[in-house]
Amino acid sequence: MKTFHETITDPEVVRVRGLSKTYGNRVAVDGLDLDVSAGEVLGLIGANGAGKTTTVECIQGLRRPDAGTVRVLGLDPVRDADRVRRLVGSQLQSSALPDRLRVSEAIELFSTRSARDADGLVERFGLEDKLRSSFGSMSGGEQQRVFLVLALLNRPRLVILDELTQGLDPAARREVWSSVAQLRDAGTTVLLVTHELDEAEVLCDRIVAVRSGRVLDAGTPAELVARHAGVATTRFGIRDGDTDGLVRALRSVSGVHDVGLDPGGQVAVRGDRSSIAHVGAWLVSRGAIPADLRVDVPDLEAALLTLLDGREEPAPTASDLTGALR
Ligand code: ATP
C-alpha cells in the first residue's frame, strides 16, 4: 500500500504567490513569488536581511503570512500544519541538539513511524563510525551531515536547508556540498537558503535572487549568467602595426560587441560567449597566436553580484503595479 507521502504526485512542490510579511513596521517579505518543482535544488539567495528565512518559515508553517498564498504539495502550511510538517524535512540549527546526545540517540529521537532505515542514510553520509559519538564532540562538517541524515529520515518530499555551511572551514564546506550534490543526484527536492554565491553555483538547478523581500530575478544559472553577468572579454597584446585597422576588423567578428585598447596597450574584445571562439579563430586564420591571450568569462558569481549589489532594481510587486495603474 502506498504511504501518505507517495499518494501526492504534484510536480510543483512549493508554490508561493504574493507573500508578504511585516514585523512591526519592518517589511521582511514584500510580494514574493516562488516555485519549487519536484526533483530540483532551488536556491533562495540574497544578502542578510533579504527575507529568505522569513520566506522559508512561512513555507514550513512556522509563520503566518500577512498576505499572499503559500502551498506545499497543494497544502496550506498554516491550516494543514501537521500534514506539511510530515512532508518537509528541515535542517536543524546547531543549538537544537544537546552536546551530549549521541548520533544514534538523535536518530532514534527524530524517527517517526514512517522513518526509513537509518543505516543507509548513515552510510551515505559517511557517519558509520560516528554513531556512538556525542554531537558536541563532532566537527562542524560532521554535525551538518548529521542534520542532513535527520532531515531525510522521515522520507520528506521537500528538504529545506538554511545557511547549511555557515561557519564551516573550506574543507568542511566541500564535504557538505558533496552530500547535498548526492541528494540532488538522487532526485530529492531541496530548497536551499544561502548567501554564498559559490554554494549556489555548485548546488542549484535554479536560483531565485531576493533583496528587500522582493524577487530580483529567477532562473537557471545559465539564464542568470546570460541576463546579468555582462560580456566576455578576450585580451591580447599586439605587435606594432596597423592597430586601428585591426580594431576595425575585429569589430566585424561574429559575437563581438566592441573593441578597445586597455591602458596597458592590450586589445580588449568584448562580446557574448561565442565571441571568444570566433576571435580565437580569427587570430589563428591570420597566423597570430598571442602568447598573452587571456579570457574573462562571465560566470554565475558575476551575475549574482550584479543582481544583488543593488545595481538592478527588484521586479515590481503586484501592489506596485496596481498603484501604477490607478
Ligand atoms: P539572514 O541571511 O541574515 O538570515 P534573511 O534573508 O534570512 O537574513 P530574514 O531573517 O527573513 O532575512 O529577515 C528579514 C528582515 O526581517 C530583517 O530586516 C530582519 O531584521 C527582520 N526580522 C526577521 N525576523 C524578525 C522578527 N522575529 N522580529 C522582527 N524583525 C525580524
Side-chain angles (χ1 to χ4, degrees), residues 23 26-28 46-55 63 163 195:
Y23 302 104
R26 171 91 210 161
V27 179
N48 291 124
K52 305 180 299 293
T53 300
T54 303
T55 300
R63 290 199 187 276
E163 305 295 358
H195 50 231

Side-chain angles (χ1 to χ4, degrees), residues 125-141:
F125 293 111
L127 291 167
E128 302 98 312
D129 298 339
K130 299 286 172 186
L131 281 171
R132 296 193 52 74
S133 300
S134 62
F135 185 71
S137 71
M138 301 174 81
S139 72

